[in-house]
Amino acid sequence: MEIFLEAKSTFYKALEEIINNAYDKGTISQKEIYDILTRYNCNFPVIEDRLFAKNAQYQKNIYVLKQQDNKTYSLRIDSKIEPYVTNLEIMWLKFIMSSRYAELFLDKNTIEKIKKLKSSYVPSIDTNLIVPKNYSKILKRESAKDLSPKLKMITKSILEKRLLRYTYTTRQGETLKDVVGIPVKIQYSLKDDMFYVIFYSIEHRNFAKCIIQNLEDVRYEEGSFNREDVLKEYELYLRNAKAKQPIIIEVMNTRNALERAFCLFSSFEKSARFLKEKNKHEMKIYYYEFEEAEIISRILYLGRDVVVTQPQHIRESIISRVKNALKMYCDNEIV
């Protein structure tokens, strides 16, 4: 029955949560059931009648609940639904094990369990067919083994609300020693295959984005702070830094430009629509003012397949950079 196939039915997930909640607590209220059905968009009469065994055709009812009183139900079975994975999920789990980052986020026991998963049909995937090409040309990729202790320490600091003291080397080569900060958020850039952390500086009372592999001598620092206050300040900082208007680009559907654009701007809030009269896609990219240089860099990476239509200062900045690049190449008699 498709109603019990997780991949095809949201009702399966709703029913699973209802059964497991009722099993864990012994009973479940009618309000809790309705809340779960509503959350999964299953709150319509046909489903409700089947679940509460009120359908006129008894064979269509689902007899998993029995009524205790007007507002409370219990299970007819003394069991919960154990989690399981579909063939497609097994294929995906086995594939991500080929990533060098798997050990950063999963412990050894979990990795071993995934490797032992079996399925009736899991086609093999040649991971060599997927060749990453967006790695940073400025920084060499740090090995996952070296990156792991830094990432885990930052994660633990966020969870346990602890200060960190660290030394950081900027992209320009400047070294900042013994900086004390509060890690706020970890980010991953698909464009250059880098992990970043947002730090709040205790000394300067501002936020900075650091490349995790450029952090050295990371250690815990004694001190207390209110993380909720820092997060509120971070949200205020982001609101004030948001650009007043989005960058609007038109993308030609050539040389996989559209796919590349979505990939490059995957970490940004955006919207897109197809311009039938131009046979192009229009993409609006919402960003923060401190991200402007990074946005321009990514637009230039897309080359001639993209045209910036708004705002004007971004257009002028890109035109200026292209002119300077052409002048430099011409002066050096490369073109």
Side-chain angles (χ1 to χ4, degrees):
M1 293 173 62
E2 288 195 2
I3 198 168
F4 290 110
L5 293 180
E6 182 179 0
K8 295 187 177 181
S9 174
T10 54
F11 181 52
Y12 175 90
K13 294 301 295 179
L15 192 60
E16 178 185 18
E17 189 170 329
I18 289 169
I19 290 172
N20 288 345
N21 284 3
Y23 180 83
D24 291 337
K25 297 188 295 183
T27 61
I28 186 168
S29 69
Q30 195 171 40
K31 182 181 183 304
E32 288 175 308
I33 294 170
Y34 280 129
D35 287 344
I36 294 171
L37 291 175
T38 301
R39 186 150 28 89
Y40 286 96
N41 295 317
C42 299
N43 55 330
F44 44 92
V46 175
I47 290 292
E48 292 171 8
D49 286 346
R50 296 187 70 180
L51 181 61
F52 293 117
K54 295 179 181 180
N55 197 292
Q57 295 178 284
Y58 73 92
Q59 69 272 22
K60 288 190 176 181
N61 290 322
I62 302 172
Y63 289 96
V64 295
L65 299 174
K66 58 182 178 182
Q67 193 166 4
Q68 298 295 315
D69 53 46
N70 291 336
K71 295 183 178 180
T72 309
Y73 290 81
S74 62
L75 287 178
R76 292 180 180 273
I77 54 175
D78 186 23
S79 176
K80 65 189 300 184
I81 297 178
E82 297 295 339
Y84 75 98
V85 288
T86 64
N87 288 342
L88 186 62
E89 289 168 332
I90 291 174
M91 182 176 69
W92 179 80
L93 285 168
K94 286 185 175 293
F95 176 69
I96 65 171
M97 287 300 98
S98 64
S99 169
R100 75 191 191 100
Y101 294 134
E103 294 182 5
L104 292 182
F105 303 100
L106 301 173
D107 59 40
K108 291 181 179 179
N109 291 334
T110 302
I111 292 174
E112 288 303 314
K113 287 179 182 178
I114 292 174
K115 288 180 178 178
K116 291 177 181 178
L117 284 174
K118 294 183 179 179
S119 170
S120 57
Y121 176 68
V122 180
S124 60
I125 300 175
D126 183 3
T127 56
N128 293 322
L129 294 175
I130 303 174
V131 182
K133 295 181 179 179
N134 296 324
Y135 298 147
S136 173
K137 295 180 175 61
I138 302 173
L139 298 168
K140 293 180 65 177
R141 286 198 305 162
E142 188 173 36
S143 71
K145 184 178 180 181
D146 294 333
L147 192 66
S148 179
K150 298 178 187 178
L151 196 59
K152 288 179 179 178
M153 184 172 282
I154 292 169
T155 304
K156 188 175 180 181
S157 176
I158 291 173
L159 294 174
E160 297 181 357
K161 302 178 182 178
R162 300 181 69 176
L163 295 170
L164 287 179
R165 183 180 289 274
Y166 58 91
T167 296
Y168 182 66
T169 304
T170 68
R171 285 182 182 268
Q172 292 73 34
E174 181 184 359
T175 300
L176 308 174
K177 292 187 176 181
D178 287 332
V179 182
V180 177
I182 300 168
V184 177
K185 188 178 182 181
I186 295 173
Q187 294 181 340
Y188 173 73
S189 170
L190 184 64
K191 174 180 175 288
D192 51 16
D193 190 39
M194 290 286 177
F195 282 95
Y196 296 85
V197 57
I198 307 296
F199 271 116
Y200 177 74
S201 171
I202 298 293
E203 180 181 356
H204 301 290
R205 297 185 62 82
N206 61 5
F207 296 89
K209 186 174 181 178
C210 303
I211 302 169
I212 291 181
Q213 79 168 48
N214 282 8
L215 294 172
E216 299 295 339
D217 194 22
V218 184
R219 58 197 186 276
Y220 295 116
E221 177 76 6
E222 294 300 321
S224 61
F225 62 93
N226 188 315
R227 183 167 182 81
E228 285 66 35
D229 288 345
V230 173
L231 292 176
K232 286 178 183 177
E233 192 169 338
Y234 180 58
E235 291 300 320
L236 179 62
Y237 167 73
L238 291 181
R239 283 199 299 271
N240 292 336
K242 196 155 190 174
K244 293 181 174 57
Q245 65 179 118
I247 294 175
I248 302 176
I249 61 175
E250 291 182 357
V251 186
M252 290 181 280
N253 199 13
T254 55
R255 301 192 301 171
N256 297 321
L258 187 62
E259 289 83 354
R260 288 188 290 129
F262 273 105
C263 178
L264 284 172
F265 298 109
S266 60
S267 59
F268 295 87
E269 182 186 350
K270 58 193 171 297
S271 63
R273 63 175 180 143
F274 180 61
L275 304 175
K276 188 175 180 180
E277 66 280 4
K278 294 184 177 181
N279 193 30
K280 295 180 181 179
H281 283 81
E282 179 186 84
M283 183 183 290
K284 291 184 179 180
I285 305 161
Y286 302 88
Y287 68 104
Y288 300 105
E289 291 175 351
F290 55 79
E291 297 175 314
E292 187 173 291
E294 177 66 17
I295 292 268
I296 292 173
S297 173
R298 297 187 185 207
I299 291 172
L300 288 168
Y301 178 81
L302 290 168
R304 64 186 181 186
D305 299 310
V306 169
V307 174
V308 177
T309 59
Q310 293 183 41
Q312 187 61 30
H313 78 278
I314 298 292
R315 283 177 54 84
E316 292 172 356
S317 177
I318 289 175
I319 291 170
S320 174
R321 288 183 61 169
V322 171
K323 284 182 176 179
N324 288 338
L326 285 173
K327 184 177 184 302
M328 181 181 69
Y329 285 130
C330 289
D331 290 346
N332 286 285
E333 297 181 352
I334 295 176
V335 295

